[in-house]
Amino acid sequence: MFKKDLRVYLPLIISLSIVCGLIVGYYLPKKYASDSNIAPEGIDKLPLAIDYIRRSYVDTIGYARLQDSALTGLLHQLDPHSDYIPASAYATVVEPLEDGFQGIGIQFRMVDDTAYILDVIKASPAFKAGLKIGDRIIYIDKDTLVGKKYTTEDVVNRLKRIKGASENVTIVRRGFSQPKKILVSRAKIPTHSIDLAFMPQPTTGYIKLGLFAENSGEDFSETLRWMVEQGMKTLVLDLRGNTGGVMSAAIDIADELLPDLQMIVYTMGANRSKTEYKATYGGTFEEGKIVVLIDEESASASEIVAGALQDNDRATLIGQRSFGKGLVQEQLGFADGSAMRLTVARYYSPSGRCIQKPFGNDRATYYEETFERVDEATKQDSLANKKRQVYKTKNGRTVYGGGGIQPDVKITYPKSPERTYVGWAQQKNILDKTAFKLADAKRAKLLAQYPDYDAFTLDYKTTPEVFAQIHQAMVSEGFTLNESIRKKTDDLLNKHFKCYLALYLYGYEAFYRISLTVDDAYLQALESIK
């Protein structure tokens, strides 16, 4: 009888237990918590919440990590370019934009478990100590790299800790029977923002600007003066792949190319008044012809320069629509070595346009937009049929805002079976890997046969054995070659393969020089000059 009654009242008993639990759960924190009152209206909730978490959370939590996470989340809610830089990442993020950095003066990549030297900066400690392209670093002082999964950042940080010439690196070099110890010191290495500068024609100069650092304006001005002295009448300024940097450097570079008092850019924000930047007197190249190369990775400071030259009808822009970053950041440093970058204004080109593309809270979508710019149905730019704000250049030409800078001459890449095949060979890193293996195995023989870049450019031909390796690697990736286009394909493969092989034999400058010989936008620029 009792059990039967219990079954009848059991739902009621369970319900009362739950209600009691909720009441106790509500009043216990009120009674025993140190902060039992609701925060007064008007008090900032964020510091209050962080402090409450720090003092009351069930597990021990690092306060610094909590602050870092809060700042990162807060800034990521604003726009894609406001960001928090932890102290551990500050040097990696900020140093490239400064006028120099501490190091030994090499560029390298991690291959298996060693640092393979790709380039040695002239006059650097590494250059003076005798380090060469192709050397493998296996020890830094007494720390071995062999057998350990070090990242590139790990090796960079270790090299930065070298204090003097008493320290050394141990290398493996082809032709040496034993590892070789080399004494090398650490020093301030100037930031080189110009990747390549030369005169491809008697009156034409070419400058590839890799980034906008604090000393970029000075480097550019010096290079420009040298070219003018050589008789330059036309400048090809290559800003492709240049994602920006220091805004003042962009203003300095545009100033060298624009006549006196012409508008370069102006900035304005809700909490920042309008500030105008105009060309000053005495630019180095104010009258000669200019062609600017841009692509979807040309952003920020690159777009300031390109927009200023286009709006003032000072240059012809060739290439692809630029990225579309029209926001200005200021940096606030913290005592622990971290920093935050906050967007404080928009910048506007001389015609009054802001080229910032639309954004939401999804950063991945924002950055991946550049891969989806061609409408597959029409093969047109995704903005081609969309209504955009219209502006006029100094001479009345139409330009648009709201989504990057549209070039005056858009480069279209004609499709063909051989181009598609070579494109996949590049995308799958097959050309890069094959060139690396060849240079590593036969460096001495190749350098004896082609002692300098000029000899290599004129005489090198990819051998049938190397072609066979490339094609076999492509088969393993699922790509087959139609034998009817074999000759055309191998001719194109030879041109592109030479670029990668030159990188591993002579360094980045050789890579850039040879790349231009198969560069449609660059060749179009030279044609437009004619």
Side-chain angles (χ1 to χ4, degrees):
M1 181 72 179
F2 177 75
K3 290 184 179 179
K4 182 178 178 182
D5 292 341
L6 183 62
R7 285 196 300 270
V8 172
Y9 292 105
L10 189 60
L12 179 61
I13 293 169
I14 293 173
S15 299
L16 288 171
S17 299
I18 292 172
V19 171
C20 290
L22 289 172
I23 293 170
V24 171
Y26 178 77
Y27 280 104
L28 273 178
K30 291 282 189 176
K31 182 176 181 180
Y32 294 106
S34 57
D35 295 309
S36 59
N37 295 322
I38 297 174
E41 187 177 350
I43 297 297
D44 287 343
K45 291 183 287 186
L46 187 60
L48 208 62
I50 291 177
D51 184 61
Y52 183 57
I53 293 169
R54 180 173 63 88
R55 291 187 291 107
S56 305
Y57 186 61
V58 63
D59 292 324
T60 302
I61 184 169
Y63 187 43
R65 183 166 66 87
L66 190 64
Q67 282 187 314
D68 287 357
S69 298
L71 280 169
T72 300
L74 178 67
L75 291 167
H76 281 196
Q77 290 297 311
L78 301 176
D79 65 81
H81 300 288
S82 291
D83 212 347
Y84 175 71
I85 307 168
S88 59
Y90 185 85
T92 303
V93 173
V94 176
E95 272 193 356
L97 302 179
E98 296 176 344
D99 60 356
F101 58 93
Q102 290 294 322
I104 65 172
I106 62 170
Q107 295 186 46
F108 67 92
R109 69 188 285 184
M110 295 304 295
V111 177
D112 297 325
D113 54 2
T114 58
Y116 183 93
I117 297 179
L118 295 176
D119 217 343
V120 181
I121 298 173
K122 291 179 181 179
S124 68
F127 183 85
K128 294 174 182 176
L131 289 173
K132 295 182 178 180
I133 296 172
D135 288 345
R136 279 182 163 87
I137 300 176
I138 59 172
Y139 278 90
I140 301 174
D141 193 21
K142 297 178 182 178
D143 295 342
T144 179
L145 305 187
V146 179
K148 296 184 178 180
K149 293 294 182 181
Y150 281 125
T151 64
T152 299
E153 186 178 351
D154 293 333
V155 177
V156 168
N157 290 335
R158 184 61 192 88
L159 289 170
K160 286 180 178 179
R161 291 200 297 270
I162 291 177
K163 295 179 180 178
S166 61
E167 306 273 349
N168 59 67
V169 297
T170 304
I171 64 164
V172 172
R173 181 180 293 171
R174 294 280 183 177
F176 283 51
S177 58
Q178 298 292 329
K180 179 179 176 62
K181 288 186 177 181
I182 295 181
L183 297 178
V184 59
S185 60
R186 180 171 62 99
K188 186 174 182 179
I189 310 298
T191 299
H192 292 285
S193 50
I194 295 178
D195 294 331
L196 180 61
F198 73 110
M199 302 278 288
Q201 297 171 354
T203 60
T204 301
Y206 170 90
I207 299 176
K208 179 174 179 58
L209 198 67
L211 77 164
F212 289 82
E214 289 178 357
N215 60 347
S216 295
E218 184 178 341
D219 287 349
F220 184 79
S221 179
E222 184 178 327
T223 303
L224 210 56
R225 283 196 298 271
W226 170 76
M227 289 183 168
V228 170
E229 290 171 359
Q230 299 298 308
M232 180 179 71
K233 303 296 183 186
T234 302
L235 170 67
V236 179
L237 176 58
D238 195 343
L239 297 178
R240 292 174 299 174
N242 186 326
T243 57
V246 180
M247 180 177 173
S248 60
I251 293 168
D252 290 342
I253 288 171
D255 194 0
E256 291 286 352
L257 305 173
L258 288 171
D260 307 341
L261 299 179
Q262 285 197 348
M263 180 72 75
I264 296 173
V265 69
Y266 66 89
T267 63
M268 192 163 47
N271 297 299
R272 294 290 188 276
S273 59
K274 182 177 180 181
T275 304
E276 297 182 345
Y277 301 89
K278 296 183 178 181
T280 59
Y281 296 95
T284 304
F285 195 67
E286 294 183 353
E287 295 182 359
K289 185 175 182 179
I290 301 173
V291 177
V292 179
L293 304 180
I294 59 172
D295 65 7
E296 65 278 0
E297 293 183 342
S298 304
S300 189
S302 288
E303 293 173 297
I304 289 177
V305 172
L309 297 177
Q310 186 180 54
D311 283 8
N312 284 298
D313 292 297
R314 181 71 186 88
T316 300
L317 272 55
I318 295 177
Q320 307 296 320
R321 176 161 60 93
S322 66
F323 181 84
K325 179 182 180 291
L327 304 176
V328 181
Q329 286 73 47
E330 282 184 357
Q331 185 166 299
L332 174 67
F334 298 108
D336 66 347
S338 62
M340 63 179 281
R341 284 180 177 170
L342 181 68
T343 298
V344 297
R346 287 180 172 83
Y347 71 76
Y348 301 83
S349 69
S351 66
R353 56 178 167 157
C354 180
I355 50 80
Q356 176 63 47
K357 64 181 182 178
F359 59 83
N361 290 331
D362 186 350
R363 292 192 170 208
T365 301
Y366 175 78
Y367 284 104
E368 290 169 2
E369 179 269 339
T370 56
F371 298 109
E372 301 170 356
R373 290 193 167 183
V374 177
D375 186 303
E376 288 302 318
T378 64
K379 301 301 178 185
Q380 289 183 319
D381 188 301
S382 57
L383 289 181
N385 297 318
K386 291 186 178 181
K387 188 174 181 180
R388 299 174 66 187
Q389 290 178 301
V390 175
Y391 299 86
K392 296 294 182 180
T393 69
K394 185 179 179 181
N395 292 340
R397 292 187 304 123
T398 298
V399 290
Y400 300 93
I405 294 173
Q406 193 74 36
D408 303 304
V409 179
K410 184 178 179 181
I411 294 296
T412 56
Y413 297 95
K415 287 191 174 182
S416 65
E418 60 270 21
R419 276 178 173 259
T420 300
Y421 187 87
V422 173
W424 277 111
Q426 289 177 297
Q427 189 167 332
K428 295 293 183 179
N429 291 324
I430 290 172
L431 299 187
D432 179 76
K433 291 176 182 177
T434 306
F436 173 79
K437 291 177 181 177
L438 178 61
D440 191 43
K442 298 184 178 180
R443 177 175 303 280
K445 181 179 178 181
L446 288 167
L447 290 177
Q449 190 173 357
Y450 311 106
D452 55 38
Y453 156 79
D454 290 327
F456 177 83
T457 304
L458 288 173
D459 301 328
Y460 177 80
K461 294 288 187 296
T462 305
T463 64
E465 293 78 12
V466 172
F467 279 135
Q469 292 175 28
I470 294 171
H471 294 312
Q472 184 57 46
M474 287 290 283
V475 169
S476 67
E477 290 285 349
F479 297 92
T480 56
L481 179 65
N482 188 330
E483 289 300 319
S484 65
I485 61 163
R486 178 68 179 253
K487 180 64 171 64
K488 284 185 178 181
T489 303
D490 284 353
D491 286 345
L492 192 58
L493 272 176
N494 175 63
K495 293 177 180 178
H496 286 275
F497 181 75
K498 283 178 70 172
C499 301
Y500 294 99
L501 188 56
L503 167 65
Y504 294 118
L505 291 176
Y506 310 102
Y508 279 102
E509 183 172 335
F511 172 82
Y512 291 131
R513 287 284 290 267
I514 296 180
S515 295
L516 291 176
T517 65
V518 288
D519 187 331
D520 291 341
Y522 171 76
L523 297 175
Q524 176 65 49
L526 295 185
E527 189 63 31
S528 72
I529 292 168
K530 294 178 184 179

